[in-house]
Amino acid sequence: MTAAPCDIWFYHLERSALEEVLPGLLEKTLGRGWRALVRGGDPARLRALDAHLWTWRDDSFLPHGLDDEPMADRQPVLLSDKLDNPNGGQALFLLDGAEPGDLSAFERCILLFDGRNEEALRLARGRWKAFKGAGHPVSYWRQGAERGWEKQA
């Protein structure tokens, strides 16, 4: 019996920056009992996100680490620019055009893209077509007027 294909969720950022949206999505992921792998294409951006996640909200703690730190495999949220999944994440977050790689180990892949960036939009459209063509269930989420998320497709 083969595993179900990974669900792909596209998050179209229009009103909020990635730094505002990602921590809440990571909290929801951990709330499901899942681990998360945050894959980005720029190590400097991942280091900035690492610092941001420690201080993003006074009343919250989001356990995380970078893939080049000791015990990276034990992190509930791991930030990486590599194609492996050392922490056994069930949710993969793709940032800044990072490559998805093999999705067979993941329950869900969340692709966040900046709707104000033409290159990011072009890449997201191409990925939508490719994922859908490969048989993955895909859905599209857009920020509503109140900054909440609305499923559009």
Side-chain angles (χ1 to χ4, degrees), residues 23 46-66 69 75-77 79:
L46 291 173
R47 292 208 179 282
L49 279 172
D50 174 51
H52 174 68
L53 291 176
W54 288 120
T55 60
W56 79 282
R57 200 167 73 201
D58 289 340
D59 64 345
S60 178
F61 173 69
L62 195 54
H64 71 282
L66 292 161
E69 296 174 337
Q75 293 294 339
V77 174
L79 302 150

Side-chain angles (χ1 to χ4, degrees), residues 8-12 14 113 121 128 138-143 150-153:
I8 313 292
W9 290 12
F10 286 75
Y11 276 80
H12 188 160
E14 293 179 287
F113 64 98
L121 285 169
W128 175 278
V138 295
S139 58
Y140 170 74
W141 298 80
R142 187 175 203 164
Q143 282 182 298
E150 299 170 355
K151 188 173 181 179
Q152 302 288 307

Side-chain angles (χ1 to χ4, degrees), residues 18-27 38 49 53 93 95 112:
L18 174 72
E19 292 78 8
E20 296 173 73
V21 173
L22 182 62
L25 294 174
L26 291 172
E27 277 191 331
V38 178
L49 279 172
L53 291 176
F93 289 80
L95 316 177
L112 296 112

Side-chain angles (χ1 to χ4, degrees), residues 9 19 94 98 123 149:
W9 290 12
E19 292 78 8
L94 294 175
L123 182 61
W149 292 98

